[in-house]
Amino acid sequence: MQIFRISISMRGSILLLFLLAPSVSVVHAGILERGRVLLICHRTANRDSPENTLESLDLAARMGCNIVEVDVRRTLDGQLVLNHDDYLERLTGGMGDVELTSSDELGLLDTGAWMGQRFSQMRIPLFEQALELARERGIGLALDLKSKGIAPLVLAALEREGMLERVTFGGEWDDVPPLYPDANRDPVASVEPGVDAGHVASLHREGNFVVANFSANSHEMDLPAMRAAVAAGVDAISVDYPRLGADAVGRPVEARLAVLARQASSGSIPLRIEAIRELSHYPGFPTRRFFEHWLRDPDDRISRAAAVALVIARPQPPIQVFIDALAAPQKTARQNAAWAIGMLGAPATASLLSLLSDKDPEVLKEALLALSRCPGEVPADRLRPFLGSEIPTVRGAAALALARHQPAVAARAIQDLLARDEQGSAREYAQYVSRGKPRLTQQEIDPIVENYREQMKLIQALALLSPKDALHSLAAQAFRSAEDPSGVTALVAGYQLWDRIAVDPGIAIRALDSSDNLVADRAEWILVQAGPPVLPALREALNSADQSARQRLIRILAWQCDSESLPALRKLQESDSQDAALIDWAIDKI
């Protein structure tokens, strides 16, 4: 989050590029407010819901965030959308670049399932949709502009939506000041965890708005450090985990949920329905038992409101026109017909197999990708040869298809391919480090990007394996303590464990003892998001764990609001004074 990562020593020209909106001017007074600690969320609620989606932006606002960062990029047809790194591979089932794809096509791609099936069917939103939502929720936005030269489009959208005075600018925003001189006028100082009150006071005397950063560092889940920063007098904390941030600034989300649950349980029907609808917008919280209860309410309107929160229905368009186009002489027709069949998940496997002999790699890639999405039977010997392709994206698509149709064969083949690629990436990264990390040429960057695209598909392929193979293969990726040049492979694998780890919670519980803080943090949040099925194993592990792991177990039980753990926590409270404060907090939260 570039806006909030300006070191004090770098104030000057760099600060002028990334500072926030004014805290004292009349024009921008709505963004930076003194008198209470603001909660700033990096890249929407990205640790709880797929980043840069309307659902994730909405969740950040509902959890009490005052300012939320979003990434803005231009599509092939000139539309502004929310997207961070341009690659469709990481966030969707597609392949390619956001900026080379039309907004209509992007609207068909699922940008939620990469983070787990519970989020499937989310979409890449238009920038104006995000502005409208932010205005409705009364929050400010920190705009990280990813495409060059989009200031006129961005400013026009802000004017239309009445949000010009509710945003700040970062990223590729050089062309904003000539059109909007009031942008980013006042100084902001970003400080790291551990800042003391004296330092904060000194920065305040210099006129700075002080933001403590708990995003993209080893303190992302450091709730005590967040509280310490608030106590030191910072004006805001910037977080990746807004639920923790809300707790740190004294506005816990659980308190609001308790009020809504009471409103939904009694009173007038319209107010009860509104409370149920509001609760349905808090994914990742232990509210399902309430919906199951209200589903049995004697009033049909209440029962329907509970059911609507859980049900999505979509019609499937006709497919025959695309099947016919698979035999067309034009390469574009074959490629895009294959893409369409795959997106629709149609039973057209036999027709798609005819494209596996196509000489065009783009047609081949789309055929393999489509096969990975369609029901039917594809022999392993028709797919395995493509794992040896010289084109990384073809290998990735082939791995997905093999995992879908021949999971027993795919389990070993994909792990071997992933291990080979990771070893190659590690060697190349070591060489890059030994050269002093020089600026790479585009010719050097291109193959790295292609390998990255493949690795994301390999992780997705692991998620398609049998439950046992998927669990152990994904866990091996999520909990490995190794240099990851991409920075996301282990993280994505970890997200895929949220809905799988209940089969064997011990895998994640053991990872809580990891000496690698990032691995232990990942294991902790996996167990938080895994829900009630893992709670018995967590309670059992509480008494035998060492202090570090025990502290994490206590936090997990608290975040899951596990009332059945209260007797064990109270007993532990009597015998362990070291964790007394933590246990007090956990009991209070539950």
Side-chain angles (χ1 to χ4, degrees), residues 403-464:
R404 172 70 70 185
H405 294 281
Q406 300 292 338
V409 177
R412 173 53 58 189
I414 295 172
Q415 290 184 70
D416 289 345
L417 183 56
L418 190 58
R420 187 192 73 185
D421 286 357
E422 288 170 350
Q423 291 169 3
S425 296
R427 287 194 300 271
E428 292 173 1
Y429 186 71
Q431 294 172 0
Y432 171 63
V433 172
S434 68
R435 291 163 51 202
K437 296 186 178 181
R439 184 181 180 86
L440 297 177
T441 66
Q442 191 61 46
Q443 188 176 9
E444 292 173 313
I445 292 172
D446 288 343
I448 296 174
V449 169
E450 289 304 295
N451 286 328
Y452 172 80
R453 295 182 193 276
E454 178 199 6
Q455 288 180 1
M456 292 299 99
K457 289 306 175 192
L458 293 178
I459 294 295
Q460 292 173 20
L462 293 180
L464 295 177

Side-chain angles (χ1 to χ4, degrees), residues 83 86 103 140 161 264 280 311 360 364 439 452 493 580:
N83 173 262
D86 201 28
S103 58
E161 295 296 329
S280 72
V311 177
D360 189 285
L364 179 59
R439 184 181 180 86
Y452 172 80

Side-chain angles (χ1 to χ4, degrees), residues 130-344:
L131 292 179
E132 181 180 0
L133 178 58
R135 188 184 67 248
E136 290 175 356
R137 293 293 174 206
I139 61 172
L141 294 178
L143 307 180
D144 190 346
L145 307 186
K146 296 298 185 181
S147 301
K148 293 181 180 293
I150 62 175
L153 292 174
V154 170
L155 293 172
L158 291 170
E159 286 278 11
R160 286 193 299 271
E161 295 296 329
M163 284 290 291
L164 187 59
E165 298 172 6
R166 297 289 300 165
V167 302
T168 64
F169 300 90
E172 300 288 349
W173 76 292
D174 292 4
D175 55 341
V176 171
L179 300 174
Y180 182 48
D182 283 336
N184 294 5
R185 179 169 290 177
D186 291 345
V188 172
S190 178
V191 296
E192 295 301 312
V195 65
D196 58 46
H199 190 190
V200 173
S202 174
L203 294 172
H204 280 156
R205 286 192 294 271
E206 296 174 9
N208 292 292
F209 186 91
V210 182
V211 179
N213 179 45
F214 293 88
S215 168
N217 58 34
S218 61
H219 294 276
E220 292 176 2
M221 292 180 63
D222 194 343
L223 184 56
M226 294 180 193
R227 289 176 176 157
V230 171
V234 300
D235 300 301
I237 60 174
S238 175
V239 301
D240 276 315
Y241 292 90
R243 189 175 176 186
L244 277 70
D247 192 283
V249 301
R251 303 189 289 271
V253 186
E254 293 80 9
R256 172 158 175 72
L257 298 187
V259 171
L260 289 171
R262 288 193 295 271
Q263 292 175 347
S265 297
S266 62
S268 70
I269 298 301
L271 290 179
R272 291 185 65 191
I273 291 174
E274 182 57 29
I276 291 173
R277 291 184 65 250
E278 180 70 5
L279 275 172
S280 72
H281 292 288
Y282 287 85
F285 290 82
T287 56
R288 191 177 70 181
R289 64 186 185 276
F290 295 120
F291 292 116
E292 292 175 347
H293 172 71
W294 295 322
L295 191 63
R296 293 159 177 78
D297 193 280
D299 189 288
D300 179 68
R301 293 164 293 177
I302 298 299
S303 178
R304 178 63 63 89
V308 166
L310 303 170
V311 177
I312 296 174
R314 291 184 61 185
Q316 193 173 79
I319 193 66
Q320 188 59 47
V321 64
F322 301 112
I323 294 177
D324 293 342
L326 291 177
Q330 298 88 359
K331 169 254 184 183
T332 52
R334 300 193 307 277
Q335 177 182 336
N336 293 313
W339 171 84
I341 291 170
M343 290 301 300
L344 295 172

